[in-house]
Amino acid sequence: MSVFKRVINNGCHDSRKACIKSLNSLCLICKRTKIIALLFLIMLPGLLLRLYGLKWGLPNERHLFSYHPDEFYMVGAVLNMDPQHLDFNPGFFNYGTLFIYLMAIVSAIVKLFIFPQTDAGWMALYILSGRIISAFLGSLSIGLVFLSARRLGGLKAALISALFLSFWPMHLIHSHFATVDIAAAFFVALALWLCCRIYDGEDKAILWAALSSGLAAATRYNTALVFAAVPTALWLRPRVYPKPDKRRLLLLCPAALLGFFIGCPYAFLMPSEFIPAVKHAQQLIACGLGDLFQHTSPGWIYHLQTNFVYGLGLPAALTAVSAVIYNLRSNRGKMLLLWAMLFYLLIGAAQVKFMRYMLPLTPALAVASGLFMKQLLERHCGKLRMFVMLPVLFVLMYTVIYGLSFSFLMGGPDGRDLIADKFKDIEAGHSVAVMNLPNFSTPPLLWYNGGKVAPELYRQSLKGCRLNPEVVSFNVGDLQRLSSDYLVLSEYDYREVARQHPENFAACMSAINKQYRLTLAVVTVPHLGPLRFSKGFPPHDLLYVYPETRLYRRKE
């Protein structure tokens, strides 16, 4: 009888263990399902904002190139490849080639459904494919930031971090472009999320994080610095976790090199092409691009006072700086930010200071800002809590409104098109002066708008143009000799002259006003309903979507 009881008891005990195990598994599944659902709900608004206005400035029957000056180079690199003959060399190494390969894959899929009949149509197809990639990778970055902040600071920090990255204009606007910057920021975000897992003792993430850093470098070379976050996470993680397997540590660099090889194989297969191209690109960044960025403050200051203030909004920029200072006090903050400080020191030393160079930092800054704000909310209680909550809510609301105001610029009519529409009613044969060869900032008065990319196409497009374009420069001598019936002026034509040589700018405008009267000026500023933000002097690559454009007519 006692034997029978023991058998019964053992069976009941095993059944209870099985039930508890099943319940735990069910709870884990439910928890993961909730997180996945929450993650989807967080990424969806960011994706919709990034898909809205995705056709902005695409090539069409009026202009061959898009209104972004760098997208053509991505298209050219895709067209350089010949998959049918197993030639996957893009022949363009100013950037890593991973984004170019992704663009080639997506464009091949899009071709199955769209068959454009014109050169501009094919150009638009390739650019739209690249923009789709940027939009989705930008949205996935929001999810990765959410997961990283949740590991480091809980759900509240995760929600705030995701909100920041969703609405920061520098990330939101560049997620509409077929360029490498958002893709590089995505792989940085992926590497940082994996580093957060390493920090929590998950050794399986070590090699994946190293691989991700290699993929980031294969997209934009200088993001290779995120690799430093991997050993930093191992070094700073709590000592309660066992030391990682030495074999994994020995494979760190090979894993990173593998990631770089996957995305940029011709760096190894064709070093004779790769090395000179990279040296040339780095030399341009180090030495500068003509008058652009001349007489500006050093990069370490310029990025703070211009790129971050315009790219994040002043309240969010101040929050991000405060968050960096605050989080560097903890090991988790050092794991997240030490590599970013090294990156900032490197980029700040360059003479070229585009805002997009800061995009790889946005995942780390978003997480740090979320952690900082969460601490602000939780450290204070009682009446003091309300005084802290109000500034936090103001920063979050300002960021949302500021981001939306830029997002809606992408869907509205572009000033270049509005100026070009004015010429529909002008009789053929009239002459019109434009500054330099027609480029991305020039209203599409003729089909070619590629600047110095292909001058022979400019000469061909003149044959079918109903107007007589005259190319001049923005200087007093040329403007005084002008005899054209009309004059078209873009903000990009004069903004550097106005900043660096105000007296010369005043003389040029005086020469214009003596001979011409202003017919139409399209001045767009970020706005949301009645709320309008001051234009100021925005970063060069944020102004792409809203440059001021003017049309002048010769006085009688």
Side-chain angles (χ1 to χ4, degrees):
M1 188 69 178
S2 61
V3 173
F4 180 72
K5 282 184 177 180
R6 279 200 302 271
V7 171
I8 295 295
N9 289 335
N10 289 337
C12 291
H13 181 69
D14 291 341
S15 297
R16 281 197 299 269
K17 287 178 67 177
C19 287
I20 292 170
K21 189 175 181 180
S22 299
L23 286 172
N24 288 337
S25 299
L26 185 62
C27 289
L28 185 62
I29 291 170
C30 291
K31 188 177 180 181
R32 286 179 177 174
T33 304
K34 286 181 179 179
I35 293 297
I36 292 171
L38 184 59
L39 198 60
F40 175 77
L41 289 174
I42 286 165
M43 289 192 297
L44 183 60
L47 177 61
L48 293 176
L49 286 173
R50 283 156 177 77
L51 292 176
Y52 175 75
L54 206 63
K55 292 184 178 181
W56 166 85
L58 280 178
N60 53 36
E61 67 281 355
R62 301 177 78 173
H63 54 95
L64 175 61
F65 297 92
S66 78
Y67 288 160
H68 189 292
D70 296 330
E71 290 180 321
F72 162 76
Y73 296 104
M74 299 294 105
V75 175
V78 172
L79 294 176
N80 283 341
M81 295 187 288
D82 186 6
Q84 291 183 346
H85 295 89
L86 299 180
D87 180 9
F88 299 100
N89 182 5
F92 180 75
F93 300 104
N94 286 23
Y95 312 106
T97 55
L98 179 55
F99 182 82
I100 295 169
Y101 291 134
L102 293 174
M103 194 167 160
I105 293 168
V106 174
S107 61
I109 296 171
V110 174
K111 280 181 189 177
L112 297 176
F113 306 98
I114 301 175
F115 301 94
Q117 302 297 318
T118 63
D119 290 339
W122 283 109
M123 184 80 77
L125 181 146
Y126 285 109
I127 292 175
L128 184 60
S129 302
R131 290 182 178 185
I132 290 170
I133 296 168
S134 292
F136 277 91
L137 292 184
S139 304
L140 289 172
S141 299
I142 297 168
L144 291 170
V145 160
F146 173 85
L147 293 173
S148 299
R150 182 174 173 271
R151 275 185 172 269
L152 297 178
L155 182 60
K156 192 179 295 182
L159 291 171
I160 295 172
S161 300
L163 183 143
F164 274 131
L165 196 65
S166 295
F167 290 95
W168 279 344
M170 67 190 297
H171 194 276
L172 177 57
I173 291 296
H174 280 269
S175 293
H176 289 79
F177 301 148
T179 52
V180 302
D181 307 287
I182 291 298
F186 164 77
F187 288 112
V188 167
L190 178 61
L192 290 178
W193 172 60
L194 291 166
C195 285
C196 291
R197 296 178 60 182
I198 295 170
Y199 185 81
D200 283 344
E202 296 186 28
D203 289 351
K204 291 180 180 179
I206 293 174
L207 295 183
W208 288 111
L211 183 74
S212 299
S213 68
L215 293 173
T219 310
R220 182 177 271 286
Y221 303 126
N222 52 22
T223 56
L225 288 173
V226 76
F227 175 78
V230 182
T232 304
L234 288 167
W235 175 46
L236 294 176
R237 73 181 184 178
R239 295 290 177 253
V240 295
Y241 300 118
K243 291 184 178 180
D245 190 340
K246 289 183 179 179
R247 288 174 296 181
R248 281 199 173 100
L249 298 180
L250 291 174
L251 291 173
L252 270 179
C253 289
L257 285 172
L258 175 62
F260 186 72
F261 177 78
I262 290 171
C264 200
Y266 284 89
F268 302 90
L269 301 177
M270 295 291 290
S272 58
E273 289 185 28
F274 173 77
I275 294 174
V278 172
K279 285 183 176 179
H280 176 68
Q282 295 305 313
Q283 186 177 10
L284 286 177
I285 293 173
C287 299
L289 298 172
D291 290 339
L292 194 61
F293 304 115
Q294 290 292 320
H295 308 297
T296 57
S297 53
W300 306 291
I301 300 173
Y302 183 86
H303 291 305
L304 283 174
Q305 69 182 14
T306 301
N307 290 334
F308 280 133
V309 168
Y310 281 94
L312 309 182
L314 180 59
L318 293 174
T319 301
V321 172
S322 303
V324 170
I325 296 169
Y326 174 82
N327 282 285
L328 282 174
R329 303 185 308 165
S330 65
N331 282 346
R332 65 180 183 182
K334 291 172 184 173
M335 178 271 297
L336 185 70
L337 295 168
L338 283 178
W339 79 272
M341 295 183 69
L342 184 62
F343 182 91
Y344 189 79
L345 289 173
L346 175 69
I347 294 297
Q351 292 299 313
V352 179
K353 306 159 190 172
F354 287 121
M355 183 187 70
R356 61 180 178 268
Y357 292 174
M358 295 292 103
L359 281 168
L361 295 177
T362 52
L365 290 177
V367 174
S369 298
L371 295 174
F372 174 63
M373 286 205 151
K374 183 235 183 184
Q375 288 297 319
L376 282 180
L377 292 172
E378 292 186 349
R379 281 201 170 191
H380 300 88
C381 57
K383 293 182 179 180
L384 192 59
R385 181 181 177 85
M386 184 59 67
F387 287 104
V388 174
M389 188 177 291
L390 287 176
V392 169
L393 289 175
F394 169 76
V395 172
L396 296 178
M397 289 300 298
Y398 185 98
T399 301
V400 170
I401 294 169
Y402 190 58
L404 287 174
S405 70
F406 275 92
S407 177
F408 293 149
L409 290 176
M410 307 293 293
D414 191 275
R416 284 156 283 204
D417 295 327
L418 294 176
I419 293 291
D421 288 341
K422 279 289 181 181
F423 283 91
K424 291 180 179 178
D425 302 325
I426 296 174
E427 293 182 7
H430 279 83
S431 57
V432 53
V434 295
M435 301 294 127
N436 307 307
L437 285 179
N439 55 44
F440 73 97
S441 67
T442 310
L445 306 179
L446 66 165
W447 186 58
Y448 178 81
N449 66 326
K452 297 179 180 179
V453 170
E456 65 280 3
L457 288 180
Y458 167 69
R459 289 188 287 270
Q460 291 178 20
S461 65
L462 287 174
K463 298 175 183 178
C465 184
R466 56 188 295 274
L467 302 169
N468 294 321
E470 179 184 355
V471 176
V472 297
S473 298
F474 192 77
N475 61 64
V476 176
D478 276 13
L479 294 172
Q480 287 177 341
R481 290 190 295 269
L482 266 183
S483 59
S484 302
D485 299 317
Y486 294 90
L487 168 65
V488 170
L489 205 58
S490 166
E491 187 172 350
Y492 280 106
D493 296 328
Y494 61 79
R495 74 183 227 132
E496 288 301 321
V497 178
R499 179 180 66 83
Q500 299 181 49
H501 311 288
E503 293 180 358
N504 187 20
F505 172 72
C508 288
M509 294 308 298
S510 176
I512 291 173
N513 292 327
K514 283 181 180 178
Q515 304 178 70
Y516 294 87
R517 60 178 175 84
L518 183 62
T519 302
L520 176 65
V522 182
V523 183
T524 308
V525 295
H527 65 280
L528 187 64
L531 295 174
R532 301 174 70 85
F533 294 93
S534 174
K535 187 167 188 175
F537 195 85
H540 186 276
D541 48 348
L542 186 63
L543 189 63
Y544 291 158
V545 297
Y546 65 114
E548 180 181 339
T549 313
R550 301 178 184 181
L551 172 62
Y552 291 87
R553 182 174 183 175
R554 176 169 285 280
K555 293 178 179 178
E556 297 297 337

